[in-house]
Amino acid sequence: MRPAHFMLLLLVSAAALAAAPLVLGSFTVTLLNYIGVYALVALGLVLLTGIGGLTSFGQAAFVGIGAYATAWATTAHGAPPWLGLLLALALTGGVAAVLGAVTLRLEGHFLPLSTIAWGIAIYYLFGNIEMLGRFNGISGIPPIQVGSISFAAAGAIYYLIWLFLAGAMWLSANLLNSREGRAIRSLRGGAAMAESLGINTFRIRLAVFVLAGLFAGLAGWLYAHLQRFVSPAPFDVKPGIEYLLMAFAGGSGHIAGAVVGAALVTLLKNALQDVLPTISRNSGQLEIVFFGALFVLLLQHARGGLVPFLRRRLPKHTPPPPAAAPPLPRRTLPQAGTLLLKVDGMMKRFGGLVAVSDVSFELRAGEILGLIGPNGAGKSTMFNLITGVLKADRGKIVLQGQAISGLAARRIAARGVARTFQHVKLRPNMTLLDNVVLGAYLRTRAGFLAGALHLDRGEERAVRAEAMHQLHRVGLGDRPYELAGNLPLASQRILEVARALAADPALVILDEPAAGLRRADKNALADLLRALRSEGVTILLVEHDMDFVMGLVDRIVVMDFGVKLAEGLPAEIRADPRVRQAYLGGVT
Amino acid sequence: MSAFLEIDDIHVAYGKMEAVRGVSLSLQAGQIVTVIGPNGAGKTTLLEATIGLLPSRGRIVFDGIDLRRLEIEDRVARGLCLVPERRELFGELSVIDNLLLGAYARRRDREGVRQDLATVFERFARLAERRNQLAATLSGGERQMLALGRALMARPRLLLLDEPSLGLAPLVVREIFRIIASLRSSGVSILLVEQNALAALETADYAYVLETGEIAHSGAAAALMHDPKVVATYLGGQA
Amino acid sequence: MNLEIALLLAQDGIANGAIYVLVALGTVLIFTVTRVIFVPFGDIAAYAALTLASFQLERTPGTIWLVMTLAGLALAMEVYTLLRRGEAHRLPMALLHYAVLPLIPIAAVWIVGGQRLPMAAEIALALALVMPIAPLLYRIAFRPLADAPVLVLLIVALAVHFAISGLALLFFGPEGFRTEPLTRAMFTIGTIVITGQSLLIVGASIVFGLLLFLFFGRTMAGKALRATAINRTGARLVGIRPAAAGELAFLLASVLAGTSGILIGPVATLYYDSGFILGLKAFVGAIIGGLVSYPVAALGAVFVGLLESYASFWNSSLKEVVVFASLIPVLLWRSLTFAHLEDEDEAEDAA
């Protein structure tokens, strides 16, 4: 869609929404109110689950905290609802921060399981605290007021709900197109990729978890003043999974998916409530059966949801490539020929197996060094030791005079080491440009608030221009808005190189970049690396493919069975009988 | 004479990326055919498609049966057996349990299984010594022997071997290839994928060189061994 | 709290824990073989108890309708899949599997027709009736997703729980039931009274634990299940069908869950949805074992029982809060002691 069409669509929907209470019946308006409240919760889940990859079954508990906070403050203490809002946000944010700090280091399925646990615990807490009315709940919650205007009527609070929702969607959309938002979008590519770019994945996970919690808390506040009554039931794990159903049904990877999903589920529920009583007197239960079955079918057949399905049917619009902008500051590169990296006596054991045994070598600024060896020689282990993915048992690595051995991957990245991956790690659903911009994460500063409020546009222009420059540099500049997943393997590897270059690195380490490439692609890659060397980039090339390495590198280190077998110029290595034996093998 | 295994123009893709593009090869009963080539050439992919771990386009005919419709378990039951690169042993089970599970598809033939177990222990004396040890505690060479032994328990007619020498010390490599050669004389046909080109070519009858998903050369194994093009593929150079 | 009360609570806790042990073992069995974190597992226990209660009240158990609904769905799906793949010759097997076998216990109930049977026969029939439920759910909801990430399977498991709890209310009705006591024996040791019921519960979990141990150690089927759990690719390569292994795991686990339901029936009033909380508590125990270790899961389940017992003495209304909140430190400890596994999730829009 063109931006102009998009603006038009936004204006039309805004006008339609504004006019809705004037033309629609009060029942429909009430329905729209609930859709708006649910959409806020689902929006948090889109950010958290669909985009960040962290599944929560406990979101309803956050809604409950927000709702009970304002219910308690306004009924027991007569506080104005706006004070209730502050309390609701402070409490949900605080609880989310504490729960997140404790649980977000959990891996795989243990994290979602923990959300069931605290979700149920909080639900039982609501039902057993005297102050909160136990399972009877709290009634008599006052309506929201601004001056003398009361938002008691369904048609009035409607505007409040949809304004808050629109605001939350605007902030979310801005955020996702900013530095930290891209970091959130990188989470699903695995911690190894994000950390190698300098992203503190725990911090990002915590931030998106708290944000989703705040959206739920806000929804809870609106819910309490809409219902004017709260009880524990709507904050159990069952509604928690309904929110998840909304996000998945709408399209958990898209902001619009939250609204579409909330509308879809709410309207369906409403329709079912009309139809089911004609089938059975236990219609409330049939509704659950229906939604359970619907969710299972959805996950079996259409995990992407409705929004991507619709989007494929809309005309695509490609914006113009980013314009030139003032450049980002650059690192002072070391003088060519000076010592850049010193690997000294590295040793790594896995159980009884010695993967790397007493390996030492040096790398000088401006050269390409090849680290080669047959499969199982210990090259990858060596690579992981240098980039901080593994910790060495013994030995020392010094980069530009500073010891980097033992540092976390993202701290090594911050010292100017950029890497690529043997099994390409890109975000297939992000554009080429966004993938490369991710590489410049450490060169930019904008935080969550600046991103969400669009205060980062100057820096954003600079970093996009920089990414465009790197795309041109590697020869991928003609389609910056293509999705990375649509590229052939060879181009994906080159895109990883561009991402590494965007970090303005002192040292680029490439992990088997030629594996699986055709001869022509290999030649193109070799040409690119030669060009980079002539621009002063230092490259460590870990490679299995001798053919690729021979004509390209300045020096070679050969590893076999975890030890350094040989070191020297390419011609010397080729003539070395030990290397021939290691590579060609033979029974004798 | 029609071939024992006939692979005809198969394509295997991971998502949008084709790892094997239009590969055709054939193997006669009783032969050892090897597929050599550099990392990432698609060798493992080819074997995984043949056994059915990966979906493929094209025709794979084994002993007159089109394999496309069959699931892995049915292919195993018909005598096709893969010894994968990662061995895929049951680490927390004992050596003897690993071997017995190898005969899972014919577990009702108790007498036959008992005999085969004795044969495997004869062939691999090391495994007999360690029969009650957990597979995870074996050394690299012993694991490869166990993987081979487990495959033999299925009474395969065609063995697909993926990098049997990978990560093994030269002495063990020699032992493994001696066993591979002796398997042929007991009537098992073998499709062998190897990095260790010279060892593979010395053992095989016929060879294919795979490069970036396509067959680059093929010929009698003995002839390819001295082919400069093959040497260049491995050591790089001006070929 | 004096020693006597402490011992009393311990007895209570161990008896409760022993119930959780059976469900926790089943949870681990299902997870390791199929990677499904089967949240509705506690429901199976509740259905067994409710079924037995129906027999004792000389009513037709709602289980019949539940099994028939699920069998119909599973059969329809299987027939559709087979026809689409052009494998019509497998239809008779499918019919046997998804129609005839689940209907045998139903036919038995129909023949008995509401008469009282000896208690052992009623228990056996109740178990036979609930046994097909979990394998049928596996066929309907999980097998089409065999290659999906654990997380998707977990979400499906939760959705399935809510779907069948709705059906359960429809078929069992909203009222709670308690079954007749299995034994009224009492033993006194010093000042402490131990009920025969608790001994029975503890004994049953020990016996079933041993049976499971023997099954895995001595039988080919048991070893095939373990092989599937240890290495799915390896299992396929020796000809073990993951779907068949999964079905067997669900079936065996159902026996465990069903037994725990029979045992808990006389000591607690169960409703159509009581299984959820029961299952989740067993879950906490299973997670202490990382969802992979049977002995640690059993110990974990006993720990949960004890925790619950002492927590209810301290503040009975907050015992659930204590039990579920205890999962968080447990998970933290697991995540620190577990081998680091990099999980990637690239397949978002591919589905």
Side-chain angles (χ1 to χ4, degrees):
Chain A
M1 243 188 305
R2 286 174 180 284
H5 292 171
F6 184 67
M7 286 314 286
L8 192 69
L9 186 77
L10 272 187
L11 279 175
V12 171
S13 351
L17 280 170
L22 307 177
V23 288
L24 297 173
S26 70
F27 178 74
T28 317
V29 173
T30 303
L31 218 52
L32 282 171
N33 284 340
Y34 283 107
I35 291 175
V37 171
Y38 297 154
L40 257 176
V41 188
L43 179 63
L45 278 174
V46 163
L47 296 178
L48 183 70
T49 304
I51 294 170
L54 308 168
T55 305
S56 166
F57 297 107
Q59 239 33 35
F62 286 130
V63 181
I65 293 175
Y68 269 105
T70 192
W72 173 75
T74 51
T75 56
H77 299 277
W82 294 103
L83 209 60
L85 173 62
L86 283 184
L87 185 66
L89 292 180
L91 266 179
T92 42
V95 172
V98 171
L99 279 177
V102 179
T103 61
L104 285 173
R105 283 186 207 280
L106 294 175
E107 313 222 332
H109 45 272
F110 287 114
L111 175 66
L113 284 175
S114 79
T115 67
I116 300 183
W118 56 250
I120 292 191
I122 291 175
Y123 161 73
Y124 276 109
L125 216 51
F126 291 145
N128 288 295
I129 295 183
E130 190 60 60
M131 196 169 76
L132 301 181
R134 296 184 181 269
F135 282 97
N136 295 324
I138 300 176
S139 53
I141 301 170
I144 301 168
Q145 286 202 313
V146 179
S148 59
I149 309 165
S150 160
F151 288 91
I157 196 172
Y158 167 90
Y159 287 103
L160 212 57
I161 291 172
W162 283 86
L163 259 170
F164 271 113
L165 176 61
M169 288 172 73
W170 180 71
L171 292 176
S172 305
N174 286 348
L175 178 64
L176 289 180
N177 274 314
S178 74
R179 173 174 179 265
E180 300 290 21
R182 276 185 298 268
I184 297 172
R185 287 154 75 194
S186 81
L187 287 178
R188 294 189 79 165
M193 184 195 87
E195 295 274 331
S196 84
L197 302 173
I199 295 169
N200 181 344
T201 48
F202 178 71
R203 184 178 147 264
I204 302 288
R205 285 159 76 122
L206 187 59
V208 69
F209 187 71
V210 170
L211 185 62
L214 287 175
F215 283 168
L218 174 62
W221 176 72
L222 288 166
Y223 181 86
H225 293 286
L226 170 67
Q227 284 261 14
R228 315 277 292 276
F229 164 72
V230 291
S231 68
F235 313 124
D236 197 359
V237 168
K238 194 173 89 189
I241 194 168
E242 265 180 24
Y243 289 125
L244 212 54
L245 170 65
M246 290 177 194
F248 273 89
S252 62
H254 305 268
I255 286 176
V259 186
V260 173
L264 209 66
V265 172
T266 311
L267 293 176
L268 212 59
K269 204 176 211 174
N270 185 54
L272 283 176
Q273 279 163 1
D274 291 341
V275 175
L276 289 180
T278 60
I279 303 174
S280 156
R281 59 198 168 82
N282 285 323
S283 58
Q285 293 309 309
L286 275 183
E287 185 187 310
I288 294 168
V289 177
F290 180 85
F291 278 111
L294 178 74
F295 206 171
V296 173
L297 279 174
L298 195 76
L299 289 168
Q300 285 180 352
H301 300 289
R303 234 175 284 167
L306 191 61
V307 166
F309 180 79
L310 293 176
R311 262 174 58 145
R312 277 196 290 276
R313 272 148 194 78
L314 288 175
K316 277 212 177 76
H317 167 70
T318 313
L328 291 172
R330 293 206 54 185
R331 186 190 310 275
T332 10
L333 288 180
Q335 197 72 42
T338 56
L339 181 64
L340 181 70
L341 181 79
K342 187 176 162 63
V343 174
D344 191 12
M346 296 307 282
M347 170 81 88
K348 179 70 190 174
R349 276 194 203 85
F350 295 109
L353 179 84
V354 183
V356 169
S357 170
D358 199 24
V359 175
S360 307
F361 60 87
E362 290 179 355
L363 182 59
R364 304 206 160 262
E367 74 170 341
I368 303 184
L369 178 73
L371 176 62
I372 68 167
N375 273 352
K379 303 186 300 286
S380 293
T381 308
M382 191 68 235
F383 189 107
N384 288 332
L385 291 174
I386 298 175
T387 50
V389 176
L390 290 174
K391 302 252 176 294
D393 295 322
R394 216 171 61 213
K396 200 170 166 193
I397 302 173
V398 179
L399 179 79
Q400 292 185 285
Q402 288 180 307
I404 58 167
S405 28
L407 292 185
R410 70 166 187 280
R411 305 214 182 276
I412 293 178
R415 309 231 158 148
V417 178
R419 65 168 292 186
T420 66
F421 291 87
Q422 184 183 348
H423 300 286
V424 176
K425 287 185 196 287
L426 291 163
R427 299 303 302 125
N429 289 324
M430 283 166 73
T431 62
L432 303 194
L433 192 72
D434 278 348
N435 268 290
V436 178
V437 172
L438 261 180
Y441 183 81
L442 284 169
R443 296 171 72 190
T444 44
R445 290 281 157 267
F448 280 90
L449 209 57
L453 294 172
H454 255 187
L455 304 174
D456 60 342
R457 291 299 105 178
E459 181 182 272
E460 192 67 6
R461 269 193 297 279
V463 71
R464 288 166 73 82
E466 165 72 13
M468 197 59 221
H469 164 66
Q470 298 301 350
L471 278 175
H472 277 304
R473 195 174 177 191
V474 301
L476 290 172
D478 51 339
R479 289 179 304 170
Y481 297 108
E482 179 73 71
L483 295 184
N486 291 345
L487 293 184
L489 176 70
S491 307
Q492 291 195 357
R493 286 202 192 282
I494 287 178
L495 183 60
E496 274 205 334
V497 175
R499 183 178 67 194
L501 291 174
D504 185 30
L507 168 64
V508 179
I509 314 187
L510 306 175
D511 195 357
E512 304 216 8
L517 296 198
R518 301 170 196 233
R519 196 168 285 269
D521 295 329
K522 281 188 206 170
N523 291 340
L525 180 64
D527 289 341
L528 170 64
L529 297 183
R530 279 193 202 96
L532 293 178
R533 172 175 52 189
S534 67
E535 293 172 36
V537 180
T538 313
I539 298 172
L540 174 61
L541 186 65
V542 177
E543 198 32 275
H544 172 83
D545 187 334
M546 282 262 255
D547 187 23
F548 178 70
V549 170
M550 281 300 168
L552 172 66
V553 303
D554 301 299
R555 286 187 310 123
I556 292 178
V557 171
V558 188
M559 284 181 70
D560 196 18
F561 287 106
V563 297
K564 186 163 88 173
L565 190 68
E567 179 171 3
L569 301 174
E572 296 166 5
I573 295 298
R574 196 198 315 251
D576 193 322
R578 289 170 307 172
V579 178
R580 284 183 87 86
Q581 162 70 29
Y583 259 77
L584 278 173
V587 184
T588 44
Chain B
M1 181 177 115
S2 72
F4 194 46
L5 176 74
E6 183 86 57
I7 292 178
D8 189 12
D9 191 26
I10 73 160
H11 295 254
V12 190
Y14 296 95
K16 283 170 185 140
M17 194 188 97
E18 276 207 330
V20 166
R21 293 188 285 263
V23 167
S24 301
L25 61 81
S26 70
L27 175 148
Q28 307 296 329
Q31 264 191 336
I32 297 183
V33 169
T34 185
V35 177
I36 56 176
N39 253 11
K43 305 187 298 292
T44 295
T45 309
L46 180 66
L47 287 194
E48 290 186 346
T50 309
I51 194 72
L53 278 173
L54 291 174
S56 59
R57 280 191 295 122
R59 240 162 51 94
I60 306 174
V61 179
F62 169 60
D63 196 20
I65 309 158
D66 190 341
L67 293 184
R68 267 177 308 179
R69 272 274 155 84
L70 299 183
E71 292 182 30
I72 301 179
E73 297 82 6
D74 301 313
R75 301 186 199 201
V76 172
R78 281 179 167 73
L80 199 61
C81 211
L82 171 69
V83 181
E85 183 182 339
R86 295 157 51 95
R87 322 304 196 225
E88 312 287 6
L89 297 171
F90 308 119
E92 292 131 65
L93 294 182
S94 65
V95 166
I96 195 163
D97 281 346
N98 268 276
L99 291 172
L100 288 173
L101 283 165
Y104 184 81
R106 40 185 283 266
R107 58 191 176 282
R108 290 194 179 80
D109 173 18
R110 285 173 185 248
E111 186 51 28
V113 170
R114 209 181 50 77
Q115 277 172 16
D116 288 1
L117 192 63
T119 317
V120 167
F121 278 148
E122 224 167 87
R123 202 187 279 277
F124 304 98
R126 290 287 284 281
L127 295 184
E129 288 166 25
R130 297 174 188 270
R131 65 175 75 202
N132 292 319
Q133 214 168 304
L134 297 188
T137 64
L138 298 182
S139 72
E142 289 162 352
R143 280 168 193 230
Q144 183 54 46
M145 287 177 193
L146 181 55
L148 264 173
R150 189 180 72 179
L152 292 177
M153 290 297 292
R155 286 202 186 161
R157 295 189 297 151
L158 172 61
L159 259 184
L160 310 173
L161 299 181
D162 195 355
E163 306 272 9
S165 78
L166 184 68
L168 302 185
L171 218 65
V172 186
V173 173
R174 194 184 313 177
E175 173 72 7
I176 295 283
F177 276 94
R178 192 185 57 72
I179 293 165
I180 292 173
S182 81
L183 284 177
R184 170 178 37 192
S185 48
S186 63
V188 183
S189 312
I190 295 170
L191 181 59
L192 169 68
V193 152
E194 253 302 340
Q195 285 278 330
N196 189 331
L198 288 187
L201 292 174
E202 274 173 20
T203 318
D205 302 298
Y206 198 85
Y208 295 86
V209 180
L210 201 61
E211 247 185 276
T212 60
E214 287 160 354
I215 302 273
H217 323 280
S218 66
L224 278 187
M225 198 159 9
H226 305 290
D227 191 327
K229 278 184 292 189
V230 175
V231 175
T233 305
Y234 276 79
L235 286 181
Q238 296 74 26
Chain C
M1 187 191 302
N2 59 30
L3 185 69
E4 198 175 325
I5 294 177
L7 284 174
L8 203 70
L9 291 174
Q11 187 207 337
D12 215 38
I14 288 173
N16 264 339
I19 299 264
Y20 300 147
V21 166
L22 290 173
V23 181
L25 291 178
T27 305
V28 173
L29 175 60
I30 291 177
F31 176 71
T32 52
V33 175
T34 66
R35 300 182 308 127
V36 174
I37 299 174
F38 193 55
V39 182
F41 195 49
D43 293 334
I44 307 294
Y47 297 164
L50 292 174
T51 308
L52 185 60
S54 303
F55 287 146
Q56 291 172 351
L57 296 170
E58 300 179 22
R59 292 190 198 167
T60 310
T63 333
I64 290 183
W65 309 114
L66 187 62
V67 171
M68 276 172 32
T69 312
L70 295 176
L73 266 174
L75 184 66
M77 285 177 75
E78 185 72 11
V79 168
Y80 174 74
T81 316
L82 288 179
L83 289 182
R84 212 185 49 172
R85 297 210 321 228
E87 294 177 355
H89 61 279
R90 291 200 173 155
L91 283 178
M93 246 342 238
L95 215 60
L96 176 73
H97 228 85
Y98 297 110
V100 178
L101 287 180
L103 290 184
I104 290 175
I106 293 178
V109 172
W110 184 71
I111 291 167
V112 172
Q115 296 165 46
R116 289 301 308 264
L117 295 173
M119 186 166 239
E122 283 183 343
I123 290 175
L125 197 52
L127 282 178
L129 261 180
V130 296
M131 261 171 62
I133 296 174
L136 288 172
L137 287 174
Y138 172 62
R139 173 64 192 89
I140 296 166
F142 299 103
R143 246 178 68 191
L145 284 165
D147 298 318
V150 173
L151 198 57
V152 171
L153 296 173
L154 171 61
I155 302 175
V156 170
L158 270 169
V160 164
H161 160 73
F162 289 116
I164 64 164
S165 73
L167 286 176
L169 175 56
L170 211 59
F171 298 138
F172 290 109
E175 65 269 59
F177 296 98
R178 202 181 263 249
T179 53
E180 294 165 9
L182 298 169
T183 164
R184 293 181 204 279
M186 295 275 196
F187 305 92
T188 31
I189 300 173
T191 55
I192 305 164
V193 180
I194 297 175
T195 62
Q197 181 75 26
S198 342
L199 284 182
L200 202 62
I201 292 174
V202 173
S205 66
I206 291 172
V207 167
F208 273 95
L210 277 176
L211 282 178
L212 207 59
F213 182 74
L214 287 176
F215 172 72
F216 284 139
R218 296 290 163 84
T219 69
M220 206 59 194
K223 283 172 189 171
L225 278 193
R226 283 186 69 197
T228 312
I230 295 167
N231 186 331
R232 295 172 75 76
T233 309
R236 297 201 73 185
L237 289 176
V238 299
I240 301 169
R241 284 177 204 280
E247 224 151 75
L248 181 60
F250 270 91
L251 196 68
L252 285 176
S254 297
V255 179
L256 296 175
T259 307
S260 77
I262 301 289
L263 292 170
I264 202 176
V267 287
T269 308
L270 292 178
Y271 299 85
Y272 74 98
D273 64 349
S274 301
F276 189 48
I277 293 297
L278 168 72
L280 281 180
K281 284 180 187 162
F283 230 88
V284 177
I287 288 171
I288 292 177
L291 286 177
V292 290
S293 163
Y294 292 94
V296 185
L299 286 178
V302 173
F303 165 76
V304 170
L306 287 170
L307 182 68
E308 191 181 5
S309 171
Y310 286 104
S312 64
F313 176 75
W314 167 67
N315 183 338
S316 71
S317 63
L318 288 182
K319 72 171 186 186
E320 319 282 10
V321 179
V322 170
V323 169
F324 289 111
S326 78
L327 186 57
I328 289 169
V330 164
L331 281 168
L332 258 186
W333 164 72
R334 289 268 17 144
S335 77
L336 292 176
T337 52
F338 246 7
H340 185 87
L341 44 121
E342 169 81 352
D343 57 315
E344 282 172 51
D345 177 10
E346 291 280 358
E348 51 215 84
D349 283 8

